[in-house]
Amino acid sequence: METAMSQPNILFLFSDEHSFRFMGHIPEQQGGEPDVQTPNLDRLARQGTVFTDTYCQMPLCTPSRISMLTGLEAKDAGAWGNSSILRPELNTIPRTLQENGYETCLVGKMHLGGRRQFAGFRHRPYGDLTGDTGHQWEPVPEPAMGMRSRTKDAVGRTGIPESLMQERVITQESLSFLREHTSRNPDQPWFLCASFSRPHFPLTAPRRWIDRYPPDRITRPKVDAGGDAHDHPMSVKMREGFRTDEIEGPEMMNARSAYFACVSYLDEIIGDMLLQLEANGFLENTIIVYSTDHGELAGEHGMWWKHSWHEGCTRVPLITSTPEQRKGEAPPQQITTPVALLDLYPTFCGLSNTPKPPELHGCDLTKAVREGREPPDRPIVSDNLIPRWGEGTEFRSVRQGRYKYVRFRNVPPLFFDLEADPEEHVNLIQRGIPPQARSAYEHLKTYAEESLDFDEAERLKKERDEPLAEKLAIEAPNATGNLYVMPNGTLVNADDPLYNPTVITNDLQHFFCDMEE
């Protein structure tokens, strides 16, 4: 094993529901949204390596995170839905790094089910430690919010003081962990995952960012409703389930403007965090990685949110930045070969000179990060292994090169040429496979059929993983979404001032004699 001094620190900045389109450095001709402002992520991209075509392994919070943490595809990771539990026998990124000399810490949201909340991290001072997602609803928790509330009611200026907003707490607790760790063990490398909730709904942000994006001055969705897959059985059921056909006109644009604001607020938080870390000397030997768990349709195809095969759901940002790149000693890079979030596990091992477990499914991207080499061209999968959108709608999406094939369990497949049709409006199976695409079609179709058995996946879910839900169930009826692990080992609610406050007065004008209206 390498000595601690020869191993770089790793700062993993992880967000929730950030579409690959919503970053300022993504050109409009490559699908970017021209209005969004993300100067800090843009700076990181200018001083790093941008992976333009990165895919999550399941476009839903918990399954994507379990797959990413274990370096396994969804079926083998046991990543089924938002109540899935991380199986005890599986290796994880932090466990492997911890066993090879790193101190590890997770601050913020990870959305894991059951009592296994540390996932191999040694420290977890703040976050959704009862698996209750950790989103801060406005102004009180709304566990039974209807789908329409996401775009109709829970939108706009936040009513939470900024110092209590989870992004600010994550920044402070991350900085505190690094200061404490460096004080005790200055020569020991660290792996810190700062995991933010935004831009995931509720679509609320500080007023300055809400005001920055007036609904009548921002872009409409880049991809219109329609196309060959609009009436596909899964598309129809997804619109019905999410009630997205009802989201139109001012409601849609208000929600889009709030999503823009949430993205920019997250960017501001990341910028503040990096400035503080740099001022404290924590970035000198640190590789920075930014990504998210899945995308957000934000009105594309007449839909919202995630859990579908569309590019807006499955394709995510991925930026890495080495100390050499930030110092100008190595050039910025752009990698266009499709890669996957499950590649992060072997890549973190490669970057840290750590032996990787043999069972990992991903590819080590170290040479892409450090030298700008394109990784192997291979099928990249994104799955949905539960029939949320009707019987037979489980799918395996496979991307390789310019083509994408979507196989469903029991409804018609789809095949797209993303270079000619980035909006995914033309199903080449329906239109007729052109000669130049025939070989790719046969290859991806065969791969999708042979690499995943839906019946076997269902059996594993029922026999191997569902019993974990009862065995490792967690009971915390009085918990709010976010909690602190106190220095004395006590677990306490972090958000009681928001949701269980001691109210002194509801009439400030009467209470204070000199408060201006």
Side-chain angles (χ1 to χ4, degrees):
M1 184 180 72
E2 297 285 325
T3 62
M5 289 299 290
S6 68
Q7 294 176 294
N9 306 310
I10 300 174
L11 173 64
F12 184 27
L13 304 172
F14 200 53
S15 66
D16 195 330
E17 205 156 315
H18 187 183
S19 168
F20 77 98
R21 300 190 193 281
F22 285 78
M23 292 189 293
H25 62 273
I26 304 298
E28 188 172 4
Q29 59 269 28
Q30 293 182 14
E33 289 281 357
D35 287 347
V36 72
Q37 299 176 31
T38 57
N40 297 294
L41 289 174
D42 298 345
R43 185 181 306 111
L44 200 64
R46 291 193 302 270
Q47 299 175 339
T49 300
V50 176
F51 294 81
T52 63
D53 292 57
T54 304
Y55 290 85
C56 66
Q57 274 45 76
M58 191 165 175
L60 189 64
C61 294
T62 301
S64 176
R65 291 160 184 266
I66 289 177
S67 182
M68 181 268 295
L69 284 169
T70 61
L72 302 175
E73 292 178 4
K75 173 179 70 69
D76 296 303
W80 312 102
N82 275 345
S83 60
S84 292
I85 292 173
L86 181 62
R87 300 210 313 278
E89 68 270 22
L90 296 181
N91 284 315
T92 64
I93 294 169
R95 177 184 292 174
T96 294
L97 294 180
Q98 185 80 37
E99 291 172 348
N100 286 271
Y102 277 74
E103 186 68 297
T104 60
C105 181
L106 165 63
V107 185
K109 172 185 173 177
M110 196 48 72
H111 203 163
L112 300 174
R115 298 205 312 271
R116 301 200 70 244
Q117 289 295 322
F118 279 69
F121 288 93
R122 184 176 180 187
H123 302 279
R124 194 174 180 196
Y126 169 82
D128 57 341
L129 280 142
T130 59
D132 194 26
T133 76
H135 305 305
Q136 290 178 323
W137 297 103
E138 311 261 349
V140 295
E142 296 283 356
M145 288 182 71
M147 301 304 297
R148 287 294 302 286
S149 291
R150 297 181 181 182
T151 55
K152 189 175 183 180
D153 303 320
V155 174
R157 178 184 176 184
T158 181
I160 299 174
E162 273 204 65
S163 61
L164 296 180
M165 292 178 71
Q166 59 203 114
E167 282 76 18
R168 290 291 177 194
V169 178
I170 289 167
T171 297
Q172 185 57 52
E173 290 297 323
S174 296
L175 184 62
S176 295
F177 162 74
L178 291 179
R179 285 171 169 165
E180 290 291 321
H181 168 68
T182 303
S183 175
R184 296 191 310 270
N185 301 298
D187 294 334
Q188 184 185 17
W190 46 263
F191 172 71
L192 170 64
C193 177
S195 186
F196 304 96
S197 178
R198 282 177 173 80
H200 189 289
F201 54 84
L203 298 176
T204 57
R207 180 174 180 173
R208 60 185 176 278
W209 288 114
I210 296 296
D211 290 348
R212 184 72 61 91
Y213 297 108
D216 60 346
R217 298 182 188 176
I218 63 168
T219 53
R220 293 181 60 82
K222 293 189 71 67
V223 185
D224 293 333
D228 295 340
H230 186 73
D231 294 326
H232 187 274
M234 183 188 145
S235 300
V236 172
K237 290 294 185 180
M238 181 176 171
R239 291 198 302 275
E240 291 177 355
F242 278 152
R243 297 176 60 189
T244 53
D245 281 341
E246 303 173 29
I247 304 171
E248 55 185 14
E251 180 180 337
M252 180 185 73
M253 296 309 293
N254 282 339
R256 276 181 62 80
S257 69
Y259 184 74
F260 274 67
C262 287
V263 170
S264 288
Y265 176 57
L266 171 68
D267 181 82
E268 179 184 71
I269 289 289
I270 288 174
D272 289 351
M273 181 178 185
L274 293 178
L275 281 174
Q276 291 182 73
L277 296 181
E278 184 175 24
N280 282 265
F282 292 136
L283 299 184
E284 294 177 3
N285 185 36
T286 298
I287 295 171
I288 303 170
V289 178
Y290 174 75
S291 192
T292 193
D293 55 358
H294 52 74
E296 161 64 63
L297 284 168
E300 295 178 23
H301 299 277
M303 300 180 184
W304 280 79
W305 310 307
K306 64 272 186 177
H307 213 182
S308 86
W309 46 266
H310 298 88
E311 289 287 283
C313 293
T314 59
R315 191 168 158 191
V316 298
L318 177 59
I319 305 170
T320 65
S321 177
T322 66
E324 294 78 14
Q325 288 174 311
R326 295 194 296 278
K327 295 174 184 175
E329 298 170 359
Q333 309 283 355
Q334 185 176 91
I335 303 297
T336 59
T337 303
V339 299
L341 284 186
L342 57 76
D343 294 336
L344 289 177
Y345 197 154
T347 301
F348 286 149
C349 289
L351 292 170
S352 62
N353 301 303
T354 295
K356 68 176 183 179
E359 71 272 13
L360 302 186
H361 293 161
C363 174
D364 183 354
L365 304 176
T366 297
K367 291 183 178 180
V369 172
R370 292 199 175 279
E371 303 171 22
R373 294 192 194 181
E374 294 286 342
D377 182 25
R378 64 210 153 100
I380 302 295
V381 303
S382 188
D383 297 330
N384 169 36
L385 301 178
I386 56 175
R388 182 175 186 180
W389 307 123
E391 184 178 354
T393 58
E394 301 98 315
F395 67 75
R396 161 152 284 196
S397 173
V398 187
R399 166 79 192 277
Q400 188 169 12
R402 63 190 289 175
Y403 296 104
K404 175 177 175 179
Y405 180 87
V406 189
R407 174 198 171 207
F408 297 88
R409 188 174 187 179
N410 196 29
V411 294
L414 304 167
F415 182 56
F416 301 101
D417 179 349
L418 295 180
E419 185 174 307
D421 174 37
E423 296 182 347
E424 301 176 287
H425 274 170
V426 179
N427 177 16
L428 294 177
I429 298 175
Q430 183 176 330
R431 302 290 185 96
I433 308 295
Q436 66 271 21
R438 174 60 61 178
S439 176
Y441 167 73
E442 296 293 346
H443 168 62
L444 294 182
K445 177 176 182 292
T446 299
Y447 183 87
E449 292 172 349
E450 294 182 351
S451 61
L452 177 65
D453 183 329
F454 287 115
D455 292 337
E456 172 68 6
E458 184 176 22
R459 184 189 67 79
L460 287 174
K461 177 178 180 292
K462 291 180 178 179
E463 297 179 6
R464 184 192 65 189
D465 296 332
E466 286 185 355
L468 287 176
E470 181 176 353
K471 181 180 179 181
L472 297 177
I474 193 167
E475 295 185 10
N478 297 319
T480 57
N482 294 300
L483 301 97
Y484 285 114
V485 174
M486 303 291 281
N488 66 0
T490 305
L491 185 66
V492 302
N493 285 332
D495 292 334
D496 274 349
L498 305 179
Y499 305 138
N500 301 297
T502 300
V503 179
I504 305 303
T505 182
N506 288 315
D507 186 358
L508 291 179
Q509 297 290 339
H510 181 266
F511 190 78
F512 297 109
C513 66
D514 60 347
M515 181 178 179
E516 297 183 4
E517 296 186 9

